[in-house]
Amino acid sequence: MSSMQVAPSANRYRDTWCGDLTAERSGTTARVSGWVHRRRDHGGLIFIDLRDRSGIVQLVFHPDTSGEAFAAAERLRPEHVVSAFGQVVDREPANVNPNLPTGAIEIAVTDMTVLAESETPPFPIDEDVPVDEMLRLQHRALDLRRESMQQVMALRHRIVKTMRDVLDARDFLEVETPILTRSTPEGARDFLVPSRLQPGSWYALPQSPQLFKQLLMVAGYERYFQIARCFRDEDLRGFRQPEFTQLDLEMAFVDEEDVIGVMETVMSAVFAAADFAVPPTPWPRLAYAEAMLKYGSDKPDTRFGLRISDLSDILRGSDFKVFESVLTGGGVIRAFNAGPREMSRSELDGLNEVVQRHGAKATAPIVVGGSAGWVGNLAKFFTPEQIAAVNEALGASDGDLLLFVADQESTAAAALGALRLEIAGRFGLIPEDRHELVWVVDFPMFEPTADGFTAIHHPFSAPTGDFADPAGMMSRNYDLALDGVEIGGGSIRIHTREVQEQVFKVLGLDEEEAQERFGFLLDALKYGAPPHGGIAMGIDRIVAILAGRDSIRDVIAFPKTASGADPLTGAPAPVSEEQLRELGVKSLVPPPVPAAG
Ligand code: ASP
């Protein structure tokens, strides 16, 4: 099937998409334009697979009937650009290709124009072969020409269009917000842009449109959305980019249920548009504390078991010094049952590296069995009752491997969460063909730091609880995880100035500072702000998952590398002294020496 919905308007280049030339067109003429995908010479005939965005059609050149076009076809190379005209004819039965929508016909060319020639591309365009990513990014126009990339870009378009359609049908207004703005605290570093007209002053690129969308609620817009570019100067990993795209939305006069309900409708339509089977809505909810306990993550992959249990109470008072000192130091002992896994000593030692990445010292592996209930020399430190109670809590039977971590609570949770994913990945326990969504709710509002508190989500989420005990306050936040990846999050917001000021106070902003940075929000809150809330979804991540890609770079037309560079344009790049002078900026770093070659 051609990917095009409407025939091109006929001009001197084409009157038909290549992919539209199915058997019914036999006997008519067609003019097509595109790129030489492949060329074959056969018994005096030349066959060209011609490719445009809609698909591929076969051109055939006869020495007798194609005239000058035949000689020109002899010189065609892959990726030359041509326009060809001829009769659409049935292929010889032996040449019919049932795998190609246009495989029953070919165009017997009588006229062809070569519109542009191509050098030999640095990698093949006609095959889906692995290509070094730097090379792909340097020659992105060629990379994007490949069918697999075209499919991803078309999927991305469909996903975004579905979001727009569903929201448009529900009275959401799409409103654009500024890119040159003031810092919005989403917890990352800002990208800054110097002001030429006000030397010494800087714009920040938005980490999200958070405050603008709240102002739109104060403005009475009721339902806003935007396909919004966000900028965060963070260290990059596979699922992060310095600039990325969110579906951002906000609603007035709502509670959690309203926002979650709208997003379940939007995302169900998105999944359906991508033929991605997910469980029906409503999707399950999990409290943050439970997610951290059972899965060691605030974005749990719930598709498999290996659930973590807290065994501190059972194991308290043992002779095992390591556990006991952690418990008396206020820590916890947690474990999960990895099941009947055969692992060598060195493989088990390797697991220590996994937990060490999360700040834990080691994992204690114990195999269930033998007269003591546990095989190995750790058993002697515990009473038979403790061992039996642990085995029961973990649902363990003989031969099962139990993995323990003893540490401060947050470290133990993160370490076991990582270990759980490691074991599941290594032993193939993740049902890759099944997908699960879970809303994580009931987050704490604040996280203690060395010198005070930070907001876990952002300082505009509505807190519950008592400001006398910030550590005990909760926030009206909700995050959505798909197969262990956070794909979105939001909250019901603060809509009174008093509460907003109190939150700033907990975060260590005095009145003056709060007014200086967020005066525009605090002022707006004085003039009748409705209760409101919203959410933002990570479009790049969603497309990557639905397209089955491991990296979001594969679903962004022009992405950056892990070091934030763009090998295509060479950004970021030094600028001239003169430009800096104009901006009133002086660089402390000498400009990099240009790379040779
Ligand atoms: N602005 C938030 C973020 O980017 C999302 C939200 O609270 O709506 O994470």
Side-chain angles (χ1 to χ4, degrees), residues 186 207-208 210 213 232 246 248-250 457-458 489-491 493 534-536:
E186 300 279 355
Q207 294 187 28
S208 87
Q210 183 61 38
K213 65 174 171 175
R232 297 184 192 174
Q246 287 186 341
D248 191 45
L249 71 77
E250 197 76 7
H457 186 219
H458 53 54
S491 60
R493 322 297 183 188
I535 189 166

Side-chain angles (χ1 to χ4, degrees), residues 34 49 114 337 357 367 378 392 536:
D49 283 346
V114 178
N337 180 355
R357 266 181 250 138
V367 175
L378 277 187
E392 194 188 324

